[in-house]
Amino acid sequence: MTATRVALVTGSTSGIGIEIARRLIADGMTVVISGRSQERGAAVASELGDGATFIQADLTQPGTPAKLVEDTVRQHGQLDVLVNNAAIDHTGPLLDTPVEEIRNTFDTNSFAAIECLQAAGRAMRERGEGGAIINVTSRLAHIGVPTMGIYSASKGAMRSLTTAAAVELAPLNIRVNSVAPGMTRTPLYEEWVAEQEDPQGTEEFVAGAIPLGRIATPEDVAGAVAYLASPAAAYLTGVQIPVDGGYIAK
């Protein structure tokens, strides 16, 4: 069994997930990245180097979260850290959103993440050496934004689960925390800005609403995740770190 700590980062073939994986590898961990696209995953694993392995997984398919954890343990002998990062976006008028869209959003952002937490927790319990689970939520779990109600609810569910799981799993020395990114400069964000009538003005407006005066980078979020995954956070459980430049502190 390897002495190197092993982390599983879901949804880690783009955006914030890649930077989380990159940071954990830099911190000396072996990292399993996962996503739906075999081609994309293989390319990212190659980019990240020897510390990364890729396991293809569509977490909304029955049994896949448990299999992903089982494959991780089979390949690396253990699982020390789970980062529940996989998620999809959703915007739309609350009163007119079809139930199929609601279910689809919760399938990925809530139900699949809960199954990953369960499977990782069981693996950590069986090994008997504890572990760390970090749920990536959102500032939208705390604030109201028109057209973002369904997404907010799916992330709010994970925020509530974090505190409950932290208390229940504490006797197993499994720490459960969350990181809540604000507006972050991901490819999805860049696409959204580019679609606006005045992209530069939009960026200035968004940054102007943030006390620190800038949009977060994926590296900002990865730094918070890396801290919660590290021995330095050994006495932290049930907490959320808002990586939003002070937005929800206003």
Side-chain angles (χ1 to χ4, degrees):
M1 185 175 294
T2 179
T4 303
R5 298 174 73 216
V6 176
L8 167 60
V9 184
T10 67
S12 46
T13 58
S14 64
I16 291 172
I18 291 178
E19 294 308 320
I20 292 173
R22 194 189 313 276
R23 174 60 187 270
L24 295 182
I25 290 169
D27 287 351
M29 295 188 198
T30 293
V31 176
V32 173
I33 61 175
S34 75
R36 297 181 182 182
S37 169
Q38 179 69 40
E39 182 179 359
R40 176 67 178 162
V44 171
S46 177
E47 173 193 342
L48 294 178
D50 292 342
T53 57
F54 172 70
I55 299 177
Q56 189 277 333
D58 180 350
L59 297 175
T60 63
Q61 295 303 304
T64 298
K67 185 176 185 302
L68 175 60
V69 170
E70 290 167 5
D71 288 346
T72 298
V73 174
R74 184 173 62 254
Q75 289 187 24
H76 299 287
Q78 64 197 61
L79 177 61
D80 302 282
V81 176
L82 167 68
V83 182
N84 254 330
N85 175 70
I88 59 173
D89 198 13
H90 181 274
T91 59
L94 180 60
L95 301 186
D96 300 312
T97 298
V99 68
E100 292 80 6
E101 291 185 17
I102 299 172
R103 293 185 186 280
N104 187 47
T105 303
F106 272 80
D107 277 345
T108 299
N109 296 3
S110 303
F111 302 146
I114 292 170
E115 288 187 64
C116 285
L117 182 148
Q118 290 178 309
R122 289 192 296 266
M124 293 171 183
R125 178 180 62 187
E126 182 176 348
R127 184 166 177 244
E129 296 188 20
I133 297 173
I134 300 105
N135 296 318
V136 179
T137 61
S138 171
R139 66 171 184 161
L140 294 173
H142 299 269
I143 63 172
V145 173
T147 76
M148 296 299 294
I150 302 306
Y151 178 84
S152 298
S154 71
K155 288 297 189 176
M158 292 309 297
R159 175 66 190 100
S160 295
L161 178 68
T162 297
T163 52
V167 174
E168 185 165 342
L169 302 184
L172 301 174
N173 195 31
I174 298 173
R175 300 183 297 106
V176 187
N177 296 294
S178 62
V179 169
M183 194 72 81
T184 306
R185 196 174 294 282
T186 63
L188 189 64
Y189 168 81
E190 300 290 0
E191 291 174 12
W192 173 75
V193 169
E195 292 170 355
Q196 305 307 305
E197 291 185 9
D198 179 8
Q200 182 176 347
T202 298
E203 283 227 42
E204 292 173 354
F205 175 79
V206 172
I210 299 169
L212 286 182
R214 68 172 178 86
I215 308 300
T217 66
E219 291 84 356
D220 291 324
V221 181
V225 171
Y227 169 63
L228 291 174
S230 75
Y235 201 58
L236 271 69
T237 195
V239 306
Q240 174 165 273
I241 299 179
V243 187
D244 63 1
Y247 187 89
I248 63 174
K250 294 190 299 180

